[in-house]
Amino acid sequence: LRASYWHGNNLEGYAKISAWRWSGDYQALINNQPTPFSIDATDAVLSIGMNGYFLERYSAGVIYQTVELEGQRNIMVGGVIGVRF
Protein backbone atom coordinates (compact mmCIF):
# COMPACT_ATOMS: atom_id res chain seq x y z
CA LEU A 1 0.00 0.00 0.00
CA ARG A 2 1.57 3.26 -1.12
CA ALA A 3 0.57 6.91 -0.81
CA SER A 4 2.35 9.56 -2.88
CA TYR A 5 2.55 13.33 -2.69
CA TRP A 6 3.73 15.17 -5.79
CA HIS A 7 5.43 18.55 -5.73
CA GLY A 8 5.09 19.73 -9.30
CA ASN A 9 5.64 17.12 -12.01
CA ASN A 10 9.14 16.00 -11.06
CA LEU A 11 9.35 15.44 -7.30
CA GLU A 12 7.49 12.66 -5.48
CA GLY A 13 7.45 11.92 -1.75
CA TYR A 14 5.85 8.68 -0.61
CA ALA A 15 5.05 6.44 2.34
CA LYS A 16 4.58 2.71 1.92
CA ILE A 17 3.64 -0.31 4.01
CA SER A 18 4.45 -3.76 2.68
CA ALA A 19 5.07 -7.30 3.92
CA TRP A 20 8.33 -9.22 4.18
CA ARG A 21 7.99 -13.01 4.23
CA TRP A 22 11.12 -14.72 5.54
CA SER A 23 12.36 -18.01 6.93
CA GLY A 24 15.57 -19.32 8.41
CA ASP A 25 17.10 -22.62 9.50
CA TYR A 26 19.27 -22.40 12.61
CA GLN A 27 21.14 -24.60 15.03
CA ALA A 28 21.62 -24.04 18.77
CA LEU A 29 23.59 -25.91 21.42
CA ILE A 30 21.22 -27.22 24.10
CA ASN A 31 22.90 -29.33 26.81
CA ASN A 32 25.96 -29.47 24.52
CA GLN A 33 23.88 -31.08 21.77
CA PRO A 34 23.32 -29.38 18.41
CA THR A 35 19.59 -28.80 18.04
CA PRO A 36 18.23 -27.62 14.67
CA PHE A 37 15.17 -25.37 14.47
CA SER A 38 13.40 -23.23 11.90
CA ILE A 39 11.69 -19.86 12.15
CA ASP A 40 9.44 -18.26 9.57
CA ALA A 41 7.22 -15.20 9.72
CA THR A 42 5.70 -12.33 7.80
CA ASP A 43 6.52 -8.85 9.11
CA ALA A 44 5.36 -5.35 8.15
CA VAL A 45 7.91 -3.07 6.45
CA LEU A 46 7.40 0.69 6.78
CA SER A 47 9.06 2.90 4.15
CA ILE A 48 9.34 6.58 3.31
CA GLY A 49 11.13 7.93 0.30
CA MET A 50 11.58 10.64 -2.28
CA ASN A 51 12.10 10.39 -6.04
CA GLY A 52 13.08 13.05 -8.52
CA TYR A 53 12.23 12.51 -12.21
CA PHE A 54 14.28 14.07 -15.00
CA LEU A 55 14.88 13.83 -18.75
CA GLU A 56 11.49 12.06 -19.16
CA ARG A 57 12.91 8.55 -18.57
CA TYR A 58 15.17 8.75 -15.52
CA SER A 59 14.67 9.00 -11.77
CA ALA A 60 16.83 9.12 -8.67
CA GLY A 61 15.84 9.00 -5.05
CA VAL A 62 16.38 7.89 -1.49
CA ILE A 63 14.46 5.44 0.70
CA TYR A 64 14.32 4.73 4.43
CA GLN A 65 12.81 1.40 5.53
CA THR A 66 12.30 -0.15 8.94
CA VAL A 67 11.10 -3.61 9.97
CA GLU A 68 11.12 -5.55 13.22
CA LEU A 69 12.25 -9.18 12.79
CA GLU A 70 11.94 -11.45 15.84
CA GLY A 71 12.06 -8.46 18.20
CA GLN A 72 15.06 -6.79 16.53
CA ARG A 73 14.56 -3.46 14.74
CA ASN A 74 16.28 -3.35 11.32
CA ILE A 75 16.76 -0.06 9.48
CA MET A 76 17.73 0.14 5.82
CA VAL A 77 18.68 3.32 3.97
CA GLY A 78 19.31 3.27 0.26
CA GLY A 79 19.59 5.11 -2.99
CA VAL A 80 17.44 4.43 -6.03
CA ILE A 81 18.21 4.99 -9.72
CA GLY A 82 15.55 4.20 -12.30
CA VAL A 83 15.06 4.14 -16.05
CA ARG A 84 11.62 3.83 -17.66
CA PHE A 85 11.33 1.88 -20.90
Side-chain angles (χ1 to χ4, degrees):
L1 181 62
R2 178 177 165 143
S4 294
Y5 173 79
W6 287 87
H7 182 72
N9 292 328
N10 298 325
L11 189 59
E12 173 198 24
Y14 63 89
K16 179 172 62 170
I17 184 167
S18 55
W20 187 347
R21 175 89 176 125
W22 61 276
S23 65
D25 295 320
Y26 305 95
Q27 191 168 14
L29 284 177
I30 299 175
N31 297 325
N32 287 327
Q33 296 295 318
T35 305
F37 64 97
S38 298
I39 299 174
D40 63 350
T42 301
D43 295 296
V45 180
L46 304 174
S47 307
I48 57 172
M50 183 177 294
N51 289 321
Y53 297 88
F54 53 96
L55 299 177
E56 295 184 25
R57 294 183 50 189
Y58 303 97
S59 64
V62 294
I63 188 169
Y64 171 91
Q65 296 180 309
T66 183
V67 62
E68 187 171 316
L69 303 174
E70 287 296 302
Q72 181 177 349
R73 174 69 49 195
N74 293 279
I75 296 172
M76 299 159 277
V77 179
V80 179
I81 298 175
V83 179
R84 289 180 261 179
F85 294 98

